[in-house]
Amino acid sequence: MATHVEGLTDEVYLPPPHVAEEAHCSSMQQYDKLYQQSIEEPEAFWSRIAEQFYWQEQPAGPFCDFNFDASRGRIFIEWMKGAKTNMCYNCLDRHVENGRGDQVAFYWEGNEPADTARLTYSQLLTRVQRFGGVLHRLGVRSGDRVAIYMPMIPELLVAMLACARIGAVHSIVFAGYSADALADRILDARCRIALTADGVWRGNKLIRLKEITDRALELCTERGHRVERVVVVRHLPRLHHQTPSTAVGDQNSAQTTPQYDPQAGWDADRDVWWEDAVSDAPERCDVQWVDAEHPLFMLYTSGSTGKPKGVLHTTAGYMLYVATTFKYTFDYHPDDVYWCTADIGWITGHSYVTYGPMLNGATSVMFEGTPFYPTGDRMWQIIDKYAVTKFYTAPTAIRALMRLGDDLVLRHSRQSLKVLGSVGEPINPEAWLWYHRVVGGGRCAVVDTFWQTETGGHVLTPLPGATPTKPGSACRPFFGVQPALLDENGVEIAGEGEGYLVFRRPWPGIMRTVYGNHQRFETTYFKKFNGFYCTGDGARRDADGYLWVTGRIDDMLNVSGHLISTAQIESALIEHPAVAETAVVAAPHSVKGEGVYCFVTTKDGRPWTEQLQKELVLKVRERIAPFAAPDYLQYAPGLPKTRSGKIMRRVLRKIAQNDRDLGDVSTMADSSVIDLLFQHRCQHLK
Ligand code: PRX
């Protein structure tokens, strides 16, 4: 129940007493003290944390050095430069050497409930060493980029840790992306090696990963880049069920199982099965000690120009930051069983499935499937099966599960739960309250964590034992993070108000550059407001100093927690020969948060048929991914433009929402199109 607390304007949810009692940070006074320290003496604060990790060499220069001011030259961020360490060593060897090798690192739960596995820290270390040897043998050296296009299987963990062990840079591409999207990312990073699997079941749907990889590599060859070797995990034959039963609530249900031969496109000079490659690999693989600022991984995120950006994270700062945020945000303790439902193909998976938990020596659940398969209570079953204490998921999943009704949740105990996390998009108070009341039975702390691929880890978040929470607010900055709100002119908004959310100084986990394009890094994040890192999100500060992230203020959509640029979808649609012009905006969607709403003008009066609409959906699925597919397609006899020809998206957003209050339209070249657009709008928003 929400209560009033002296000094706060709104009603709040207090940290549950049993969570606060054991918490690393158990009061706002303690939070304030730690926060102050992290801002006033960052070196002392972070170097104390660094003592928990293994360093082959200590930093040579300043603990943190940076420049956020373009007038003083290049933008850069360095933490612990000159120190030598290794991420894999700190995630695995360190724990094994401390006698914790037999502890379970991951309970793996497959798409089918009958498919399970467990991996201890020492088993993982053995497998990582062997695979590190395979990478060496394939010619991978420190600094080389390795493309990974894999489902949520143990080999994905092994692959990323093996890269980290030998100093190679992993570039993981979410296994829901299309061949075109995979090719773009491999080409940009110039990966010589790719790692994949034969395929994976998601609910009832078979994703043919090897076939998609073959197609992507063909595209790369056509564009002048040859991937030399491909290692393929033979995953499908080891599964219990290959003809899954009917799923509940799965959009892809009732598919008939197609014939699939993953070896159809086999290239014997290039492709090798994972198990064959590791069978004669050496058992030991030495750790490559790397500089603190050595790249650990790159991960592509949408850019507003339509070309994805390879966000680059380095070693030491990212290590300090994900380990610390994991420990405090989930209030991690050694007897916890932690479960983050995100796919490792996204940043949440990198930071809070793999690195954050493993640096803390945690026991986690890794899940291959979907929340709806085989039934809509799969999540709650898994929580009870492993007695999960800390659970982390996305608002989209919460809203979709909420729709299935409370009964599916209530038939499971969920007594083990203590902390419930949310990430990826603004969580509406209704979903927050349902998560708190029904899933958490009113006994758990809910932490709404705001962050980005670029920030590496949580930057705004409540702490479960300390922060009185407000549904829908990401509350306060994490240690070391200094947020500010700016108006359009860059003037800082003090106290209550709304503006651009920016950060004043770097925390250890912030990205270092856009791979291969440092200028793009500077322009995207630092140009709009010199001296600040600009998130691209808007936020409001309330009378109590709480921050409420209101969403993107650039041309970016957040669909089910996945960022997609409007330009990216527009350039896929425009490839269709019948399309003359198109504009994409966000429209409200009751489950996905935001839906993709497309306005399309056809060429030479070509008819707006169902067939054409199907083809347009297919175009986006092929060029980007199924998750980016249009939710709404509307015929547009013309588009509202300024006199200089710029499409007025602000007006289109209003039309999509059937809001006739268009604001100032005095700059519009020809407003006669507006009525027609309202007439043609998609009537029912989902
Ligand atoms: O708009 C914000 C939204 O997701 C964006 C970052 O997306 P991505 O880089 O894909 O990373 C997602 C996982 C960290 C942000 O710019 N976002 C993320 N978390 C929240 C959020 N918006 C509101 N509240 C959040 N908790």
Side-chain angles (χ1 to χ4, degrees):
M1 239 187 27
T3 45
H4 262 299
V5 168
E6 214 184 300
L8 294 183
T9 322
D10 293 329
E11 287 204 317
V12 289
Y13 287 79
L14 291 174
H18 63 286
V19 174
E21 255 163 42
E22 63 177 18
H24 297 297
C25 178
S26 57
S27 67
M28 282 313 270
Q29 287 80 352
Q30 200 185 346
Y31 162 81
D32 286 338
K33 197 169 147 217
L34 283 166
Y35 180 74
Q36 253 1 83
Q37 226 174 52
S38 74
I39 300 300
E40 283 159 17
E41 305 163 76
E43 170 155 358
F45 183 88
W46 292 106
S47 57
R48 227 177 355 259
I49 288 170
E51 283 166 17
Q52 300 154 32
F53 300 103
Y54 179 80
W55 305 94
Q56 179 77 1
E57 278 174 39
Q58 292 300 321
F63 200 83
C64 170
D65 197 7
F66 75 100
N67 174 37
F68 271 14
D69 177 357
S71 68
R72 288 173 42 203
R74 192 174 185 269
I75 306 287
F76 74 92
I77 302 129
E78 289 170 354
W79 286 80
M80 300 185 72
K81 189 140 171 82
K84 290 225 175 335
T85 187
N86 181 283
M87 178 60 113
C88 175
Y89 183 88
N90 278 291
C91 285
L92 286 172
D93 307 57
R94 188 169 56 98
H95 302 310
V96 174
E97 283 164 20
N98 288 339
R100 288 158 61 200
D102 291 337
Q103 190 191 319
V104 173
F106 288 94
Y107 293 109
W108 180 78
E109 174 86 11
N111 182 56
E112 290 294 331
D115 290 319
T116 59
R118 35 191 291 166
L119 285 153
T120 64
Y121 276 89
S122 59
Q123 285 166 340
L124 252 178
L125 177 56
T126 307
R127 293 183 64 176
V128 166
Q129 297 214 59
R130 280 192 169 247
F131 196 67
V134 169
L135 290 176
H136 268 151
R137 212 166 49 192
L138 296 177
V140 180
R141 298 285 170 262
S142 183
D144 285 352
R145 279 83 51 216
V146 175
I148 305 183
Y149 185 66
M150 275 189 177
M152 285 288 281
I153 54 177
E155 285 82 357
L156 173 53
L157 293 165
V158 172
M160 64 200 298
L161 289 159
C163 287
R165 189 172 193 84
I166 66 168
V169 184
H170 56 73
S171 172
I172 301 182
V173 180
F174 171 59
Y177 272 114
S178 66
D180 291 51
L182 175 60
D184 286 345
R185 286 155 179 76
I186 291 176
L187 278 165
D188 186 75
R190 298 272 139 188
C191 301
R192 283 169 37 217
I193 305 284
L195 314 175
T196 188
D198 47 3
V200 64
W201 288 98
R202 282 196 55 80
N204 270 323
K205 192 165 187 230
L206 178 65
I207 321 273
R208 303 157 169 234
L209 297 174
K210 175 62 166 65
E211 195 177 276
I212 300 170
T213 306
D214 287 344
R215 174 73 195 126
L217 299 192
E218 254 174 58
L219 291 169
C220 289
T221 312
E222 282 166 21
R223 287 154 73 183
H225 175 73
R226 206 176 91 78
V227 170
E228 292 157 27
R229 301 305 299 269
V230 181
V231 185
V232 189
V233 178
R234 206 195 302 262
H235 179 50
L236 296 173
R238 66 188 178 186
L239 300 173
H240 274 90
H241 300 276
Q242 291 174 58
T243 320
S245 52
T246 309
V248 174
D250 186 335
Q251 295 166 348
N252 303 313
S253 65
Q255 289 244 344
T256 47
T257 308
Q259 286 300 314
Y260 172 48
D261 175 10
Q263 266 183 291
W266 200 262
D267 174 345
D269 295 328
R270 183 194 70 185
D271 302 344
V272 56
W273 287 112
W274 177 291
E275 60 194 19
D276 295 342
V278 292
S279 64
D280 57 352
E283 272 177 23
R284 268 187 62 87
C285 169
D286 289 340
V287 167
Q288 171 88 34
W289 302 111
V290 295
D291 189 89
E293 284 298 336
H294 183 77
L296 176 67
F297 68 85
M298 49 205 288
L299 181 60
Y300 285 85
T301 188
S302 295
S304 52
T305 58
K307 186 175 159 18
K309 304 179 286 258
V311 168
L312 189 99
H313 284 285
T314 57
T315 304
Y318 178 81
M319 179 160 87
L320 296 184
Y321 200 66
V322 292
T324 311
T325 46
F326 176 78
K327 174 177 164 184
Y328 283 94
T329 303
F330 302 111
D331 193 46
Y332 168 71
H333 294 278
D335 54 351
D336 275 329
V337 177
Y338 162 83
W339 181 21
C340 168
T341 66
D343 194 290
I344 290 179
W346 306 112
I347 190 68
T348 308
H350 282 62
S351 299
Y352 300 112
V353 175
T354 306
Y355 292 120
M358 293 195 72
L359 286 164
N360 281 275
T363 296
S364 306
V365 176
M366 177 187 196
F367 181 42
E368 179 191 42
T370 86
F372 314 105
Y373 182 85
T375 50
D377 58 349
R378 185 74 190 276
M379 303 276 227
W380 326 124
Q381 267 171 19
I382 296 176
I383 286 174
D384 279 0
K385 178 172 175 185
Y386 298 102
V388 170
T389 52
K390 313 282 163 81
F391 179 65
Y392 195 28
T393 195
T396 292
I398 299 169
R399 286 189 292 262
L401 292 165
M402 189 167 123
R403 277 194 166 184
L404 301 182
D406 297 2
D407 284 356
L408 284 179
V409 187
L410 298 176
R411 68 169 74 140
H412 301 276
S413 142
R414 301 161 285 105
Q415 284 295 328
S416 52
L417 289 173
K418 292 180 184 171
V419 177
L420 302 173
S422 167
V423 58
E425 40 178 324
I427 181 166
N428 46 314
E430 190 196 356
W432 193 104
L433 289 167
W434 185 81
Y435 200 28
H436 181 265
R437 180 177 56 81
V438 180
V439 177
R443 299 177 307 271
C444 301
V446 172
V447 287
D448 173 9
T449 62
F450 168 84
W451 58 296
Q452 307 178 298
T453 304
E454 293 87 338
T455 69
H458 310 142
V459 280
L460 304 179
T461 180
L463 299 184
T467 318
T469 47
K470 302 187 187 187
S473 168
C475 299
R476 297 300 185 107
F478 192 75
F479 306 136
V481 174
Q482 262 190 309
L485 299 181
L486 304 183
D487 71 12
E488 188 58 49
N489 303 317
V491 177
E492 197 168 340
I493 300 164
E496 268 182 271
E498 187 166 340
Y500 288 83
L501 175 64
V502 299
F503 295 109
R504 208 182 278 289
R505 58 198 278 172
W507 55 94
I510 190 176
M511 71 184 288
R512 301 302 198 255
T513 189
V514 169
Y515 181 79
N517 197 344
H518 193 72
Q519 198 187 343
R520 193 168 177 206
F521 170 64
E522 298 187 335
T523 352
T524 311
Y525 304 103
F526 297 92
K527 193 160 178 222
K528 191 165 174 70
F529 302 114
N530 189 40
F532 297 91
Y533 166 86
C534 181
T535 58
D537 283 290
R540 179 168 71 80
R541 191 188 293 109
D542 70 15
D544 298 326
Y546 280 56
L547 288 163
W548 302 71
V549 177
T550 49
R552 302 293 307 187
I553 31 188
D554 49 13
D555 290 332
M556 214 76 91
L557 306 176
N558 192 328
V559 180
S560 303
H562 307 317
L563 275 193
I564 312 162
S565 76
T566 52
Q568 219 178 341
I569 303 175
E570 286 160 6
S571 64
L573 292 172
I574 202 83
E575 281 182 20
H576 193 289
V579 174
E581 199 173 27
T582 169
V584 174
V585 297
H589 190 292
S590 61
V591 172
K592 299 179 178 183
E594 286 184 340
V596 180
Y597 195 116
C598 312
F599 292 85
V600 181
T601 308
T602 53
K603 260 189 205 152
D604 316 321
R606 299 241 198 137
W608 182 245
T609 59
E610 276 198 15
Q611 180 56 30
L612 172 57
Q613 293 176 48
K614 274 193 195 143
E615 288 170 16
L616 293 176
V617 170
L618 200 66
K619 261 277 173 239
V620 179
R621 293 174 70 100
E622 277 173 12
R623 283 288 176 260
I624 312 170
F627 66 78
D631 295 290
Y632 316 100
L633 281 158
Q634 139 157 31
Y635 172 65
L639 293 172
K641 291 184 185 162
T642 59
R643 283 185 197 91
S644 59
K646 201 167 180 286
I647 294 172
M648 297 177 80
R649 283 166 207 284
R650 174 175 62 76
V651 171
L652 290 173
R653 270 194 289 273
K654 296 268 186 172
I655 294 170
Q657 294 177 40
N658 206 17
D659 178 353
R660 296 217 171 230
D661 179 11
L662 299 181
D664 178 13
V665 289
S666 58
T667 55
M668 198 183 297
D670 172 13
S671 56
S672 66
V673 73
I674 296 295
D675 272 346
L676 287 170
L677 287 172
F678 270 108
Q679 278 168 32
H680 285 283
R681 69 175 283 281
C682 300
Q683 292 301 318
H684 301 290
L685 295 187
K686 297 173 192 167

